[in-house]
Structure formats: structure tokens, C-alpha cells
Amino acid sequence: MSYERWARVEVDLEAVRRNVRALKGRTEPGTLFMAVVKADGYGHGALPVARAALAAGADRLGVATVDEAVTLREAGITATIQLLSEPPASAVDLIIEHGVVPAVTTRAFAGALGRAGAARGIDTPYHLKIDTGMNRIGVPAGEAHEFAAAIDSFPGLQLEGTMTHFATADVPGDWDFEMQLERFTSALARMRDEGIDPGIVHAANSPATILHPEAHFDMVRCGIALYGLHPSRDTYGEIELAPAMSVIARVTFVKKVGMGEGVSYGLTWRAVAPTTIATLPLGYADGVHRVLSNNMEVLIGGARCAQVGRVCMDQFMVEVPRGVTVDEGDEAVLVGAQGAESILLDDLAERAGTINYEMACAFGMRMPRVYR
Ligand SMILES: *Cc1c(COP(=O)(O)O)cnc(C)c1O
């Protein structure tokens, strides 16, 4: 049994493949490429995006949770899957069974992972995560060599790589970025002095991949740019990216309202003259954040229509401009192009007071996805 919901996310997988090639084109040959597909591929669907990225030359996948990794494995993905942070120790058996490579930031977890590996007679690969200034997770840069030396002696473990994460890679010429890079290279040098090979060294997210070639090391980890979205205004002039996500709905209801009539909860918008109102079947539970109420537009019939009244959980309304005819079933574009007009996810994110990362994730919550 199936039907077509009148609201959908369209994902252009050719755009994903093109973006992977464009990003890889900015790295030295031989640099590994991790496609970050956490949060269900930033709302685009982790599995189809993973397949497209791998087909276009990605070497590995990055995810945030053990569930995300297991889901990809069970769907038949054989590429290396890395966890970008350390999972709970209760996950060590799942991780080993599914061949997932975790990040390590605590001795307790390293011990649990090592014991589980040793019990199976294998050395479990892991990446050491060093905190160089973001102060989120990671072994403090000044202690990384001691930490690495201590867990190097644990049985059942194998250091496959060493990583850090930047807090300000999207700001060109930022001093804090330079400081993080300096702390990272010093920590790597001290590890080598201790006789520890840091393995695959990696630090660059999308903005660092685009703006900071000096931070590419052995592998880059690209998320947002994979989806054709720019991590900041400063990357627009640097690389051509193709947005993969469009958000499309069909008009479910059209009506005339008289002067002074209000629309939606609280009647926060009122018609100043008789007008036409069209209803669309998606709302804040689909990613149209309620803060966008009375502050966004959609494209219908190639025309920009202002959203009016509060965005509801499952629906919202727009005013049809004079001279435009709209019928039930007509297509409305929230994100993407229609005729000569287009709306970027960035436009919507800015109006919502957030970033394209969050908007993309939100549109992935409940809407069906269609791939082309
Ligand atoms: C999410 C994440 C990335 C990808 O970041 P983008 O800015 O989306 O490219 C890379 N590394 C880590 C550790 C992350 O958590």
C-alpha cells in the first residue's frame, strides 16, 4: 500500500556526487575523504547519500551514533564507518560486531573496547580525539601523548588515526583557528616523540577543507558541503557547490477571505483587503520552524507568495498575489527553483535565525524523500 504525500523532500544525488568530486579536487591526491552522513545525512537520507558519495570517490563514512552506523551496515554498506565521538562503553560489542571505528576520548572507554577486542583475540581500531580548543570532547592537547602512550599498552586496541575538530574553521584568517592547528601539530609531534604513530591524521570539516589546505593532513571530513550547502558566506567565492535538497508541497485548499478576516492560530495576520489564501500540508513537525510564521515565502506558479499567519504543526497558509491563479494540487516550492525564481535553504535559515545545517536536518524529520 502506498500513496503520495503532498509534501516531500527531493534529493538530487548527482549533486552529491558532483560536490564530492569538487571537494576532493581541493585536496592533494591520496588525501582520504570521509563523507559525514550523521543525522540521517543532514536530513537527506544517510543511505542513498552514503552510496552516492562512495560512488563518487569517498573513502569512508562518518556518523554520530552507534545506531546510525549499524543501520548503514545492515543496509549493506561495507566501507569503513567511523564514529565522530566516543560512544557509551555498553556499545563496544555492537561496534566490534559491525566493524565500526570509534573515536576514543576516555581511558574507561578505551579499557572496555580493549577488553572486548582482546576477548575476541583481535586488535580493535580506534581514532584518538584530541581537544585543541573547541572544548567539546577530546583529550586535552597537552596530555594527548601521555594518554596515547598509556592506552597503547592496553591489549585489544590499535590506534588507526588521530583527529581534532575546529571551532572557527569558517572564519578566514581567524587566530583561534591558527592556535588550534598549532596545538594539534605539537600534540602529534609529542606522540611521535613517544614512539607512537598517530596513523591517519585528520582535522578538516567542510569549511577547513575549502578554506584551509594546510589543515587537510591525511583525510578531510566533509558534511554540509557534500549536500551542496555552504558552511559560511566566506566559502561562496571559493567553490561551486550544487544544493541537493529541494522542498516541495502541493496546495491542499484554496479559499477567498474577506477584508479583516484573520488566518491561523491567534489570527496574527489579517487580510487588509479581500484576498485568496492557499493551504499547504506541512508544518513545524516537518521542519518549517514556527519562528518562520509571517516571515517566509513559497513559489507557486512561478510567483512568490508570502506565508501568512502562524505555521501550524502540519500545515501553513500563504497569500496568493493578485493576478496569480492557484488551484488545489498545484506545486509549491519552499526550497529550490520554480520558473525563474528560486529559494535557497540559506534564505530560509537566515529568516529562521539559524543555519542551513539545522534547517536541512529539520526537513528530514517527517517528510518522505524522493531521489533523482
Ligand atoms: C559534523 C562533523 C563534521 C562535518 O562538519 P561539516 O561542517 O558539516 O563539514 C566533521 N567532523 C566532526 C567531528 C563532526 O562532528
Side-chain angles (χ1 to χ4, degrees), residues 36 38 42 84 129 136 163 165 205-207 221-224 357:
V36 179
K38 62 193 180 188
Y42 293 40
L84 296 166
K129 186 152 190 181
R136 183 168 66 176
M163 65 193 286
H165 191 59
N205 52 2
S206 296
R221 308 186 301 259
C222 291
I224 198 76
Y357 291 72

Side-chain angles (χ1 to χ4, degrees), residues 6-50:
W6 275 13
R8 66 184 189 272
V9 168
E10 276 193 16
V11 180
D12 179 356
L13 294 173
E14 178 53 28
V16 171
R17 288 187 286 267
R18 253 191 289 158
N19 295 329
V20 170
R21 290 191 288 263
L23 289 158
K24 274 177 69 82
R26 302 190 66 94
T27 64
E28 291 289 324
T31 310
L32 295 172
F33 187 94
M34 178 196 285
V36 179
V37 296
K38 62 193 180 188
D40 205 8
Y42 293 40
H44 295 67
L47 183 60
V49 168

Side-chain angles (χ1 to χ4, degrees), residues 139-322:
V139 178
E143 299 164 21
H145 59 295
E146 284 164 20
F147 181 94
I151 65 173
D152 195 44
S153 62
F154 291 7
L157 285 180
Q158 181 222 329
L159 179 63
E160 191 204 42
T162 302
M163 65 193 286
T164 192
H165 191 59
F166 295 115
T168 61
D170 54 331
V171 185
D174 182 67
W175 187 85
D176 289 298
F177 176 87
E178 300 301 327
M179 188 192 63
Q180 282 198 266
L181 191 57
E182 159 59 25
R183 286 179 180 169
F184 189 46
T185 49
S186 313
L188 293 167
R190 268 175 286 170
M191 283 170 68
R192 291 189 176 106
D193 288 346
E194 296 274 336
I196 295 162
D197 177 0
I200 301 165
V201 173
H202 51 113
N205 52 2
S206 296
T209 302
I210 298 166
L211 298 172
H212 299 285
E214 74 279 16
H216 288 176
F217 297 100
D218 303 322
M219 177 164 73
V220 296
R221 308 186 301 259
C222 291
I224 198 76
L226 201 62
Y227 307 98
L229 300 170
H230 279 269
S232 85
R233 286 185 192 288
D234 293 297
T235 58
Y236 270 91
E238 291 290 330
I239 188 169
E240 188 105 21
L241 296 171
M245 180 186 279
S246 307
V247 181
I248 297 163
R250 285 181 190 274
V251 173
T252 52
F253 203 81
V254 180
K255 79 196 113 337
K256 299 238 180 277
V257 302
M259 188 176 80
E261 287 289 318
V263 170
S264 195
Y265 290 119
L267 306 176
T268 59
W269 181 88
R270 286 182 189 270
V272 295
T275 190
T276 305
I277 298 295
T279 303
L280 293 168
L282 72 173
Y284 58 76
D286 299 294
V288 186
H289 295 309
R290 190 167 174 279
V291 71
L292 288 164
S293 298
N294 293 303
N295 185 28
M296 63 178 277
E297 294 172 329
V298 305
L299 308 175
I300 308 177
R304 286 185 176 265
C305 304
Q307 190 279 326
V308 296
R310 285 193 183 137
V311 173
C312 310
M313 185 182 290
D314 320 300
Q315 308 182 69
F316 69 82
M317 278 63 87
V318 299
E319 184 182 23
V320 179
R322 223 164 285 279

